[in-house]
Each structure stands twice: as structure tokens, then as C-alpha cells.
Amino acid sequence: MLKTSVLLACLAFSTIAADGNYFQVLIREIDNPAGTLKNGQPCSNFGFLGAGCNTYMKAVATASGTNLSDINLPDAVQINKNMETRVSNLNFVVSDGYLDSVDAFTGFDLRVRLATESNFINIIDDYIIHVSSNQEQGVYTYTNLRDGTLPTTISIAWSTNIAPQSTTATPEPTTTGVPFTGSTAVPTTTPKPPVDCSEVVNVTTGVQTIYPDGMTPVSVYCDQTSYGTYTVIQSRGTTGQNISFDFPSVSNYSAAFGDPGKGNNYWFGLDNMHALNGVKPYALQIDLCCGTKLIAKQIYHNFMVDTAANNYKLTATADISGVGLDYASSGKDLAAQFSTFTEWHGKSKGTCDQFEFYDDAADIGPSVAYGGWWYGSCGNNLNGFLYPSRALNCTVPLEIFDQNKMLGVNMRTTPGQGPGGYDVDLQSYDRVRMALFTFDSTTIDRTDSSFCS
Ligand SMILES: *[C@@H]1O[C@H](CO)[C@@H](O)[C@H](O)[C@H]1NC(C)=O
Ligand SMILES: *[C@@H]1O[C@H](CO)[C@@H](O)[C@H](O)[C@H]1NC(C)=O
Ligand SMILES: *[C@@H]1O[C@H](CO)[C@@H](O)[C@H](O)[C@H]1NC(C)=O
Ligand SMILES: *[C@@H]1O[C@H](CO)[C@@H](O)[C@H](O)[C@H]1NC(C)=O
Ligand SMILES: *[C@@H]1O[C@H](CO)[C@@H](O)[C@H](O)[C@H]1NC(C)=O
């Protein structure tokens, strides 16, 4: 694996006058001499040195200290249009608007992502840089995912007028105005925070902290099996807290909620799912259990969740067609946007058999809506009402359904329409999970029911 060098020119404790406190990172130059994506593919049809990538950039900076907030660029910014291999004089400033009340500053983390389109599918590079305010100026290197292709470089400078937390005197400014451009200092390696469970050092089964967007910590359950590591992004069950999944707005599903854990009720958050797009090709595994019995293990390749602006549309390709998220009625969950009972994108409550199963039975009336999901077929809802198990029987008895008018936690395991020509199958599993993985799916033990017990 080739190393990518990051030129880091520090312009610390500068004496430039400003109103109040400030902390800013200047992204000065980006250099991709090979004009290739991270996976080695050329960006243009020319495919030779000197024909570069037209590039979109996203940057996020998080300063550490007290009373500092996250600093995010609003959206992807296009930084070149003419296949330049080097974007010099970029001079893009990432700064924090909430600095006035800051009283301490210990450093910052910067993540810069580069891709050829604003949807960040074709990634050129992904830099994660940590700088501590007492760190000397220098040239830093880190190892990234740029296998088998020429390295790229990024050059940044930073500036603050906030003194570090220290009992010793604030160092004299070493530079005023002119960015530092080089050093003979020995390069140091900046560890990359784990974006998923497979990157957690010496990962063991249990709750771990990962950084799906490279910056923001998220607690997640990691399952380390003999054939690979899973990052569990959704789980339902009767272990731990019985929490409601019945939120009214799509935005209520943007962030993580619940407690990660085996058999617990947990949601990783749609924004975190989206943050993993393009980082690696993720596959999704869904496990459905009734009691300790494994009912189905479904696998989907190239799992991706779109932006909030596109209502977190789900895309993936099914390992077995016609079941689960690929079950087809007038639509499929694969390619559906995320909806709730007050915010429908695609189908509506009145055309969704999850909520209209009884609409033909005049004496009972329509079912009650529960839980946000990618309602494309309306045959599935892993965020449905969690029914307590009834002696290892996950069929919802009609009298229970009559009483509650709510279907449960369900997912089609057979193709074709369900009972009475509806899309639903009247099962409610009492333990399910959605887990991401990046290893070869042919190594999976499809009979492994360890999650169910
Ligand atoms: C943050 O700022 C507020 C006022 O601006 C101040 O009251 C508070 O003590 C500060 N918090 C910390 C942890 O310094
Ligand atoms: C990970 O495991 C290796 C081998 O057992 C060990 O040398 C290393 O210190 C461990 N790293 C951490 C961070 O625990
Ligand atoms: C759900 O989202 C709405 C709109 O953003 C917000 O007002 C409400 O507080 C959220 N509800 C919960 C339970 O988080
Ligand atoms: C969870 O709580 C709801 C509301 O209190 C209750 O109706 C339901 O039976 C509970 N589910 C389980 C699995 O205990
Ligand atoms: C499960 O419950 C359904 C509905 O009550 C019933 O028809 C079925 O016979 C039960 N199955 C088993 C294996 O107990």
C-alpha cells in the first residue's frame, strides 16, 4: 500500500488582528498527479499523467477544547473543472462561527473528502488529519486506502488566536503571515479513526465507538465472527429497553437512538448510514429470529443510503431476488425513499398494506401506522411494533392484530403476495438485526444462528 503524504503548514498563534476568538483551517492546495480515483481508475478517458480529475470537495473540522462547535462546509464544493492535476491557490477556509465564547483550544481534526461528483460515489481521496495545538510544524504522512495508485497530497495551514491550555507561557508566534512550507522533521503517522467495526483495532464482539463520517463518534454493536466482522446498524429484540420506534418525522431517524447490543432496540441513524456511502462497498445482512430459531438470513450487496435531501433513498442489490427488500408488489424497498406515517415519499399510508391490511374489513377498519421505513413494497418493516414472543410463535394471531391493529417487525421471506393477496405476511419477529460487512459473502455460514440465542 502506498503512503499518501499530507503537507501540513502550520501558522499557529498568528498575530493577525480579528474580532473575538478565531480558529481557521486554510486548505491551500490539492495535488493528484496521476489523475486517478482511489481505486486506481483514471478520472478521464485520456488516462495518462497530466489529465486530472474534476473534483468536488467536502471538509469537516472539529476543534477540541471547550465551547467549540463542529465546523462543516455546507455541501460539496466543485474545486476544478478542466482536469487540472493540481489545484493550487485553492485557499479555502474552514472556520467556526461560534468561537467568541471559547476559553481553551487543544487542537483540531480535519477530514477532507474528494470525489468526482457531488454524490461522493467515485472517491478520489479521503484525508483525516489530527493536529494538536502544541504540535510542532512539520510534514505529516498517513496511510490511506489508495491501493496501487500514485499518492495525492493536500496542503493546509491553520491559525488561531486562542492560547492552548497550559501553565507555561504562550509560545511566541513563529510565523507572521507567510505560511510555513516545509520541514525536515521526521514524519509522524496520524491514526485514522475507525469508520466501521472492521477498522476497530483488535475488535472484539461488543459495543465499540466508530466514526462513520471520520469525525463524530457513534456507539455501535460489533459482532466478530469466525468469518468476519459485522457493524450492526439496526436491531430489535426484548433484551434491554423496550423503546418506541414510532417517530413521526423522517428527520427523527437521522441520528442514532437506542442502546447498541445483541437483542437490544437500536437504530444507527440515516445520516450515519449515508456517511458510509462510497467509503467501501458495504453489504447488508438481515437476520430474522423467532425466539432462538433463525428464520432467515438475507444478504444485499452495495448497500447505500442517499442524502436527507433525497429522503435517504435505499439502494442495494439482492442476493436472492423476490424476497425481503427485493420483494416486489407495486414497488420494492430497494429504490424506495424513507417514509413515516406523517411524511410519505412514494407510497402513501392508504396504499401501503403495512397499514391497510384490514381496510377491506369494515367492522375493524384500517391498521395503525408504526415506525419509519423504506416503504417501497409495503411488505416489510423492521421498525414495526415489537410484539412479545408467544412461545416461539411469530405468527401474529388475528385476535391480537384485531386488538392492536398494528403489524409487527416483519420482512418477507417468500416471494409473491401474502395471505389474502396482501403484501404482508403476518409474522412479527422478536429479534432482528441489520448488519453491514465488507468481507466476502461466500464465506458466511448461512446457518449461523448465534445472533438468535
Ligand atoms: C461556554 O460559554 C458560556 C458563555 O458563553 C459560559 O457560561 C460557559 O461557562 C462556557 N463553558 C465552558 C465549559 O467553558
Ligand atoms: C492488538 O493486538 C496485537 C497482537 O496481540 C498487540 O500487539 C497490540 O498491542 C494490540 N493493540 C491494541 C491497541 O490493543
Ligand atoms: C421529531 O422531529 C420533529 C421535527 O424535527 C421534532 O419537532 C420532534 O421533537 C422530534 N421528536 C422526537 C421524539 O425526537
Ligand atoms: C413494549 O412496550 C409496549 C408499550 O408499553 C407494549 O405494548 C409492548 O408489549 C412492549 N413490548 C415488549 C416486547 O415488551
Ligand atoms: C402459531 O400461531 C398461529 C396463530 O395463532 C397458529 O395458527 C399456529 O398453529 C401456531 N404455530 C405453532 C407452531 O404453534
Side-chain angles (χ1 to χ4, degrees):
M1 181 180 281
L2 285 164
K3 289 215 167 165
T4 299
S5 68
V6 178
L7 293 165
L8 196 84
C10 298
L11 174 62
F13 321 121
S14 103
T15 54
I16 300 163
D19 286 340
N21 292 336
Y22 65 86
F23 152 67
Q24 296 182 326
V25 181
L26 182 70
I27 302 171
R28 299 170 53 218
E29 178 169 315
I30 286 165
D31 207 353
N32 178 9
T36 50
L37 299 175
K38 192 173 75 179
N39 64 13
Q41 294 299 308
C43 287
S44 76
N45 294 334
F46 300 102
F48 57 80
L49 290 187
C53 305
N54 289 332
T55 305
Y56 284 80
M57 177 175 79
K58 273 187 191 176
V60 187
T62 318
S64 43
T66 47
N67 267 351
L68 284 154
S69 61
D70 287 359
I71 308 150
N72 297 292
L73 287 187
D75 213 340
V77 177
Q78 186 165 25
I79 61 171
N80 69 323
K81 291 184 181 161
N82 297 306
M83 296 192 291
E84 300 91 335
T85 52
R86 168 181 297 198
V87 190
S88 50
N89 270 328
L90 177 62
N91 290 346
F92 204 92
V93 175
V94 188
S95 64
D96 191 326
Y98 299 91
L99 276 183
D100 285 354
S101 58
V102 172
D103 41 26
F105 177 71
T106 55
F108 66 90
D109 289 287
L110 175 71
R111 180 182 191 189
V112 181
R113 280 188 285 174
L114 305 175
T116 55
E117 301 93 20
S118 57
N119 61 8
F120 279 73
I121 304 275
N122 291 318
I123 302 290
I124 298 166
D125 216 329
D126 191 343
Y127 304 95
I128 309 251
I129 301 161
H130 175 80
V131 173
S132 154
S133 61
N134 58 13
Q135 217 158 341
E136 306 226 337
Q137 296 171 340
V139 177
Y140 297 82
T141 65
Y142 78 109
T143 306
N144 76 347
L145 299 170
R146 239 179 127 75
D147 268 324
T149 186
L150 282 176
T152 67
T153 58
I154 180 169
S155 167
I156 69 167
W158 63 281
S159 175
T160 182
N161 63 349
I162 307 159
Q165 271 178 317
S166 166
T167 49
T168 60
T170 304
E172 288 298 308
T174 50
T175 315
T176 48
V178 183
F180 180 80
T181 52
S183 167
T184 54
V186 179
T188 57
T189 297
T190 304
K192 189 172 173 289
V195 297
D196 61 31
C197 289
S198 73
E199 293 187 2
V200 173
V201 178
N202 296 351
V203 66
T204 52
T205 294
V207 178
Q208 309 279 356
T209 302
I210 61 169
Y211 300 78
D213 67 359
M215 310 291 305
T216 318
V218 181
S219 279
V220 74
Y221 187 76
C222 298
D223 187 13
Q224 176 64 29
T225 69
S226 58
Y227 43 89
T229 309
Y230 290 97
T231 305
V232 178
I233 59 168
Q234 189 265 13
S235 61
R236 305 296 304 280
T238 52
T239 308
Q241 278 183 286
N242 171 14
I243 62 162
S244 173
F245 270 57
D246 199 22
F247 296 114
S249 300
V250 170
S251 63
N252 296 131
Y253 292 83
S254 296
F257 60 81
D259 294 325
K262 185 174 166 181
N264 281 13
N265 291 293
Y266 173 77
W267 179 248
F268 184 57
L270 293 163
D271 284 339
N272 290 324
M273 295 181 199
H274 172 69
L276 293 176
N277 280 8
V279 172
K280 294 174 193 173
Y282 283 98
L284 169 71
Q285 178 176 310
I286 290 175
D287 286 76
L288 306 174
C289 311
C290 186
T292 55
K293 193 175 167 206
L294 178 69
I295 304 296
K297 208 182 269 292
Q298 299 177 343
I299 291 165
Y300 305 87
H301 300 280
N302 293 312
F303 170 83
M304 283 203 268
V305 170
D306 207 338
T307 56
N310 290 326
N311 300 311
Y312 303 108
K313 181 177 166 180
L314 172 67
T315 53
T317 48
D319 199 55
I320 299 173
S321 60
V323 302
L325 302 175
D326 195 57
Y327 167 69
S329 59
S330 53
K332 289 183 181 186
D333 292 0
L334 300 177
Q337 300 182 345
F338 201 85
S339 293
T340 64
F341 61 87
T342 61
E343 282 178 29
W344 287 93
H345 303 290
K347 285 208 168 171
S348 62
K349 187 181 167 193
T351 58
C352 189
D353 285 351
Q354 285 288 336
F355 308 120
E356 287 293 298
F357 178 69
Y358 268 162
D359 57 358
D360 297 336
D363 51 335
I364 296 171
S367 319
V368 174
Y370 191 102
W373 187 252
W374 297 275
Y375 292 114
S377 69
C378 287
N380 311 306
N381 178 13
L382 292 186
N383 291 338
F385 181 78
L386 185 74
Y387 281 102
S389 53
R390 294 165 303 281
L392 303 192
N393 190 338
C394 288
T395 302
V396 181
L398 290 180
E399 59 274 19
I400 290 187
F401 186 59
D402 286 357
Q403 214 173 7
N404 287 288
K405 296 184 189 165
M406 269 188 291
L407 293 185
V409 174
N410 54 57
M411 170 94 9
R412 291 302 307 269
T413 58
T414 52
Q417 286 187 306
Y422 287 92
D423 290 318
V424 292
D425 70 2
L426 295 182
Q427 299 293 311
S428 183
Y429 301 108
D430 51 18
R431 181 176 289 194
V432 302
R433 73 169 182 188
M434 298 168 70
L436 298 183
F437 64 94
T438 51
F439 54 84
D440 178 2
S441 65
T442 61
T443 64
I444 292 172
D445 173 1
R446 306 248 173 172
T447 62
D448 180 356
S449 62
S450 56
F451 166 67
C452 303
S453 53

